[in-house]
Amino acid sequence: MESPVHFWVPSIAPSGFLIYTGDRFPEWRGNFFVGGLSGQQLARLTVDGQEVQQEETLHFSRGRIRDVRQGPDGYIYLAIDDRRGGLTPIVRLEPADEH
């Protein structure tokens, strides 16, 4: 058994992992995205080989992030727990300059 290359203290309870390959966020191409259940956050990691160079935490106050995926349109989609126990909302991330 080997120790993990990267971990969080306290744990964000990772859920969902994505290596971004789209064109909607060209500056994020090749970055890793990890959803967090306990932290209600999305972590963006820049990586060189097996070494994490930088980590950015993107906070969401909408609930626990269950999964993170890239759609065929190049956007990043998050499945988030509904706080009231309803259907799981899907949130699409868009670049700020698109509006």
Side-chain angles (χ1 to χ4, degrees):
M1 181 179 282
E2 290 188 32
S3 296
V5 173
H6 188 77
F7 56 91
W8 291 267
V9 176
S11 176
I12 66 169
S15 61
F17 173 79
L18 162 71
I19 300 174
Y20 186 72
T21 61
D23 58 0
R24 297 290 181 172
F25 306 93
E27 66 281 359
W28 288 353
R29 199 171 292 123
N31 289 186
F32 294 6
F33 289 84
V34 181
L37 291 169
S38 67
Q40 298 184 25
Q41 68 188 40
L42 180 66
R44 181 177 70 87
L45 308 170
T46 56
V47 181
D48 183 13
Q50 291 189 3
E51 185 176 325
V52 173
Q53 299 293 313
Q54 184 178 6
E55 177 179 347
E56 177 183 13
T57 301
L58 308 171
H59 289 276
F60 294 91
S61 59
R62 300 178 92 175
R64 300 169 1 136
I65 297 177
R66 285 278 176 199
D67 201 4
V68 54
R69 299 290 172 157
Q70 178 181 316
D73 56 4
Y75 289 108
I76 296 173
Y77 291 85
L78 306 175
I80 301 176
D81 270 352
D82 181 80
R83 294 181 192 174
R84 298 171 305 273
L87 297 175
T88 300
I90 304 297
V91 175
R92 179 172 88 172
L93 300 184
E94 297 178 2
D97 61 353
E98 282 193 1
H99 300 285

